[in-house]
Amino acid sequence: MTTRVQLRHLAHARSGDKGDTANVGVIAYSAQAYALLERELTAERVAEHFAGMIDGPVERFELHNLEALNFLLHGALGGGGTVSLMTDAQGKVYSTALLRAEIDVPADVLASLDTATGRAGR
Amino acid sequence: MSRRALRIACGQGFWGDRLDAPIEQVRRGPIDFLMLDYLAEVTMSILQKQKARDPSQGYARDFVPLLEEIFPDIVEKGIRVISNAGGVNIAGCREGLVEAARAAGVADRARIGTVTGDDILERLPDLIAAGHELANMDDGRPLSEVLDLVESANAYIGAAPIVEALARGADVIVTGRSTDTALTYAPMIHAFGWSWDDWDRIAHGIVAGHINECGAQASGGNCMIDWETIPDLADVGYPIVEATPEGPFVLTKHDGTGGRITPAIVKEQVLYEMGDPREYITPDGIADFTTIRLEADGPDRVRVHGVKGRPRTDMLKVSISYRAGFKAVGTLVYAWPDAVAKAQKADAVLRARLDRLGLSFDEIRTEYVGWNATHGPLAGPPPEDLPEVELRVAVKSAEKAPVERFTREIAPLILSGPPSVTGFAGGRPRVQDIVAYWPALIDRSAIEPGIEVEVVEA
């Protein structure tokens, strides 16, 4: 059995820019959540999520050591820097747009989050 | 070498960062080095423009009064300061610092070091003639296509000249486009005597520099995880790297300051502006961020170790900026009821006006702040009963005239467009120059012989 939840319940994130490319680093809240995201949050899935918002391809890199994924969203910033007409010309909040993605989460992964999202130990 | 950890504090994450952060770093606890990063890609072109208007300008002006303030502290405590505040006028910055040292009464006890040779704006025609294409790393175009429009050109240079200035006794070192990371790891190479091919240790320094260079973003600022419980951001402690001769380091902050340092927060900063994490390229080596190990080491302390490095490349990155037209942004606020519908109608009226005037633009972009400005189509349809929304229309063009005319078409909407409009007290939008970024690579051999280190008594 799975429950559909927004990515923001599985991970936190930070984004930034390099020219016209935005990067979104996604950091899982638990080892189980990381394993799930490694399987489900593919570059293809992220490209679909951002359909209509980015012109170029999506690349994904895994950082198993940090239980994190790094996505490069090419052509995401309307030219980037001062060329861009966007409010978010430097991709500072692209991270939050990705955290809207919905993921089907098995019960054991959900249980791992109940612990991981507790305040203690962070 | 001292066995005690070397404490390298960050005092500024960009030009415009909190003014008193470096003062707090110097006064609220022990540090050995203070690094301050003032330069972003677009900053260099702004500084070139300032220098063109006034030859005494072209550096991060805030740095000089800051040093006047902290000179007595750093001389007393033996803290050494490293900054890329020199921008495109390193000599001018040094003159300011000499005066500041005299005003602070420490002229006989302060040595100023400078690193020059990164600024290649004047050399571009010769470099191109000598076969350096300086092709755009994003699309491969040769620089010759935009050479007449170039405003600034600087090679990212590494730690070697900073280490030399430290060895020659400089207390304050001012550079131009040194890499942000080098400002943090140059003191490690100097103090620990690392060999220039000790790639793993240098890679630790690179990671330390990457975490340190954005100020409080590593210590609780702009942190997403548990943001609502992070204490006292009004007194956030900026990060401090405690470096060790073996390479592993601890990220911490002064006792009694606000903010928070945990592995999860440091992970956020590690991933900031990350490309391929397996190869974080600097002039002094390549760090593999997939090898970083992070763990808590007590309250507000995170230990970083295990970083693997690889040899440096033969190329240096060059940051070039060039004029690429004009843009302007107009905004108006529409109130409930039907705020979005009114703003959409105003956008349609505005676009019809631009058509009637025969104005054409390379791009017109409309956003509705409060509904879809940052999340675009992911925001879904506008929420019912939104209390207000800001219409934000931006245009750009290679020509200034249509952009200028656009700025005069916003205010008329107040009386001639849809109702319930406000928020125009700021006046007519400003026409802004677009300065585009041109990243390129160049052979080290074209840059490094021109790098000069000077150390003078204030």
Side-chain angles (χ1 to χ4, degrees):
Chain A
M1 206 192 76
T2 63
T3 310
R4 177 154 278 232
V5 303
Q6 284 184 319
L7 179 58
R8 68 189 173 111
H9 299 296
L10 299 164
H12 56 123
R14 177 169 293 185
S15 54
D17 69 317
K18 275 279 179 277
D20 196 23
T21 298
N23 96 292
V24 181
V26 174
I27 304 152
Y29 280 133
S30 71
Q32 294 93 322
Y34 177 67
L36 178 72
L37 294 181
E38 200 189 351
R39 201 164 61 240
E40 299 293 327
L41 197 63
T42 59
E44 293 72 26
R45 177 72 207 284
V46 171
E48 273 170 39
H49 180 73
F50 284 119
M53 285 179 74
I54 63 178
D55 296 334
V58 172
E59 285 184 275
R60 186 183 95 163
F61 300 95
E62 297 88 32
L63 295 99
H64 303 303
N65 53 326
L66 305 181
E67 292 173 344
L69 300 171
N70 186 40
F71 294 93
L72 297 186
L73 316 176
H74 297 287
L77 299 176
T82 70
V83 175
S84 175
L85 299 182
M86 297 166 63
T87 293
D88 191 23
Q90 292 173 297
K92 298 285 187 186
V93 297
Y94 249 99
S95 51
T96 61
L98 182 54
L99 293 182
R100 286 175 174 272
E102 294 189 338
I103 309 279
D104 291 323
V105 183
D108 60 320
V109 178
L110 270 188
S112 78
L113 294 170
D114 289 338
T115 317
T117 51
R119 298 276 180 230
R122 281 232 195 124
Chain B
M1 286 300 127
S2 162
R3 299 300 300 169
R4 185 177 72 85
L6 198 67
R7 287 169 64 93
I8 305 158
C10 173
Q12 197 83 165
F14 68 103
W15 191 5
D17 204 356
R18 199 171 279 180
L19 282 173
D20 47 8
I23 302 171
E24 303 283 320
Q25 288 289 53
V26 165
R27 294 188 181 156
R28 288 184 62 178
I31 62 171
D32 300 295
F33 288 86
L34 177 69
M35 62 75 68
L36 303 100
D37 174 27
Y38 285 96
L39 302 182
E41 275 87 6
V42 71
T43 315
M44 302 308 283
S45 65
I46 294 168
L47 291 172
Q48 286 286 13
K49 267 189 218 162
Q50 292 178 354
K51 186 180 166 191
R53 279 198 297 269
D54 176 352
S56 72
Q57 297 299 321
Y59 59 92
R61 288 190 302 276
D62 291 344
F63 186 62
V64 171
L66 167 70
L67 263 288
E68 186 171 334
E69 167 87 19
I70 64 173
F71 253 131
D73 302 86
I74 64 170
V75 166
E76 187 62 34
K77 296 176 179 173
I79 296 167
R80 304 170 87 179
V81 178
I82 305 173
S83 177
N84 54 19
V88 298
N89 188 0
I90 293 154
C93 186
R94 180 173 63 192
E95 278 177 40
L97 289 175
V98 168
E99 280 177 38
R102 290 175 186 162
V106 301
D108 54 334
R109 297 160 70 192
R111 271 165 296 189
I112 318 280
T114 51
V115 175
T116 54
D118 63 296
D119 187 348
I120 57 169
L121 181 61
E122 303 297 326
R123 294 179 58 199
L124 287 178
D126 291 343
L127 287 167
I128 289 171
H132 299 284
E133 202 176 40
L134 293 163
N136 188 308
M137 287 169 74
D138 294 331
D139 58 24
R141 288 183 293 157
L143 184 65
S144 51
E145 284 187 16
V146 298
L147 185 60
D148 293 344
L149 304 171
V150 168
E151 302 236 305
S152 70
N154 296 78
Y156 281 92
I157 59 177
I162 302 173
V163 172
E164 183 186 332
L166 289 169
R168 287 164 57 181
D171 300 296
V172 178
I173 298 170
V174 179
T175 75
R177 188 57 282 188
S178 289
T179 58
D180 307 344
T181 49
L183 305 176
T184 291
Y185 64 75
M188 304 179 194
I189 294 172
H190 166 72
F192 302 141
W194 289 348
S195 151
W196 288 101
D197 61 0
D198 196 341
W199 308 116
D200 289 347
R201 285 180 189 179
I202 288 173
H204 279 87
I206 292 167
V207 172
H210 175 80
I211 296 170
N212 215 20
E213 78 192 9
C214 289
Q217 246 191 183
S219 54
N222 194 26
C223 288
M224 189 179 286
I225 188 165
D226 294 339
W227 66 270
E228 65 276 37
T229 69
I230 294 176
D232 203 4
L233 288 175
D235 184 35
V236 65
Y238 275 48
I240 298 170
V241 170
E242 288 184 358
T244 66
E246 295 73 29
F249 63 92
V250 168
L251 191 81
T252 187
K253 61 189 184 67
H254 282 319
D255 291 341
T257 57
R260 178 181 291 158
I261 295 178
T262 63
I265 283 174
V266 174
K267 282 183 192 179
E268 285 193 27
Q269 178 53 19
V270 165
L271 287 160
Y272 180 63
E273 291 184 344
M274 176 59 46
D276 182 344
R278 297 165 300 190
E279 47 176 33
Y280 186 100
I281 301 171
T282 80
D284 299 308
I286 298 172
D288 181 349
F289 277 44
T290 69
T291 60
I292 295 172
R293 313 301 301 182
L294 290 178
E295 61 216 25
D297 182 53
D300 292 320
R301 293 175 62 82
V302 169
R303 183 165 182 270
V304 182
H305 60 104
V307 188
K308 293 292 176 195
R310 295 202 298 280
R312 65 183 210 178
T313 74
D314 293 332
M315 309 295 278
L316 295 178
K317 192 171 174 183
V318 180
S319 164
I320 299 167
S321 66
Y322 65 103
R323 295 191 298 282
F326 304 89
K327 68 175 180 178
V329 180
T331 61
L332 289 170
V333 173
Y334 288 86
W336 178 95
D338 305 317
V340 171
K342 290 168 186 162
Q344 286 174 321
K345 178 73 174 177
D347 179 56
V349 171
L350 174 61
R351 286 172 181 254
R353 285 286 307 163
L354 300 178
D355 278 347
R356 287 172 71 101
L357 292 165
L359 304 178
S360 66
F361 297 94
D362 297 335
E363 185 184 354
I364 306 177
R365 180 181 175 89
T366 302
E367 294 176 345
Y368 299 90
V369 179
W371 166 34
N372 71 357
T374 59
H375 286 193
L378 292 168
E384 295 273 336
D385 259 15
L386 208 58
E388 72 260 339
V389 71
E390 182 183 78
L391 170 67
R392 180 185 186 277
V393 183
V395 299
K396 70 175 165 194
S397 170
E399 306 299 323
K400 191 168 188 175
V403 178
E404 175 69 37
R405 190 68 180 82
F406 163 83
T407 67
R408 291 161 182 266
E409 284 297 315
I410 305 299
L413 288 168
I414 297 160
L415 298 186
S416 62
S420 333
V421 58
T422 186
F424 43 78
R428 194 193 307 157
R430 191 169 56 87
V431 176
Q432 304 167 55
D433 295 335
I434 296 176
V435 180
Y437 179 56
W438 184 288
L441 295 174
I442 196 165
D443 291 323
R444 255 172 212 283
S445 58
I447 302 294
E448 290 183 337
I451 294 176
E452 287 183 24
V453 176
E454 275 189 79
V455 178
V456 300
E457 301 282 336

